[in-house]
Amino acid sequence: GNLASVVMRYKERSPIRFSVELPSLLLILIIGLALAYAQKGKAHVQVTTLTMHLPATARNILNVATSVFFLAYVAFIAWATWHEALVLLKDGIRSIEARIPLFLPVVLISMGLVVFCLQIVVDICKAVVSPSRGGESSQDPSIGKAMDRATKDQ
């Protein structure tokens, strides 16, 4: 996009409009909607160096508690994002070059966060209903053990 804009600017004296703006908006949307997908696949980073030494029941309780706090945090961000979208809609704010109504990508981000919240709720329910599966980390515990050994050697 940027190369084409530079070529058009120098050759035709007319850059491609919104060649930077549109990819930026699309990237924000991709990230917003990918959060729930990563949560479902357990692709977010987990640091289990301390929790892997706890009994399974304690790990599950800690997993549920931190998931509830995280759910509250993400729900608040989703609500704040939705509120911002309403303000953008009311004020009629548009992007500078493409004149895209900015409430549209913000609404999609908020919707992505709501789907993320729903996936967190599913994970909490799984951990409560089936503690042996939901409370266990999908990470290889040997990774944490190797890290513990490395820190002891220092």
Side-chain angles (χ1 to χ4, degrees):
N2 290 339
L3 177 61
S5 183
V6 169
V7 169
M8 289 295 292
R9 181 178 297 126
Y10 287 105
K11 184 172 170 108
E12 302 293 328
R13 302 279 186 229
S14 173
I16 297 173
R17 292 183 48 92
F18 58 84
S19 64
V20 174
E21 193 172 80
L22 191 59
S24 299
L25 291 173
L26 292 174
L27 184 61
I28 290 170
L29 296 178
I30 290 169
I31 291 170
L33 296 173
L35 290 171
Y37 182 75
Q39 180 70 20
K40 183 178 183 205
K42 304 288 185 231
H44 293 291
V45 174
Q46 295 180 10
V47 180
T48 60
T49 304
L50 297 175
T51 58
M52 65 186 250
H53 299 292
L54 297 174
T57 304
R59 260 193 321 252
N60 192 50
I61 291 169
L62 188 59
N63 179 35
V64 170
T66 56
S67 294
V68 168
F69 284 119
F70 187 57
L71 173 63
Y73 173 75
V74 175
F76 174 75
I77 299 298
W79 172 82
T81 307
W82 179 258
H83 184 267
E84 181 64 22
L86 293 177
V87 169
L88 291 169
L89 175 63
K90 182 180 77 87
D91 293 345
I93 307 292
R94 294 179 172 267
S95 64
I96 294 172
E97 291 180 1
R99 307 298 302 151
I100 298 170
L102 285 181
F103 80 92
L104 292 173
V106 177
V107 163
L108 290 176
I109 291 168
S110 182
M111 289 171 54
L113 290 171
V114 168
V115 173
F116 189 22
C117 286
L118 293 174
Q119 185 59 50
I120 295 169
V121 169
V122 167
D123 290 347
I124 291 170
C125 291
K126 284 181 182 177
V128 169
V129 171
S130 179
S132 62
R133 283 188 3 195
E136 295 296 319
S137 171
S138 61
Q139 274 188 337
D140 181 4
S142 63
I143 295 170
K145 290 178 183 175
M147 291 297 291
D148 285 343
R149 274 182 265 151
T151 55
K152 284 180 185 176
D153 292 341
Q154 292 178 353

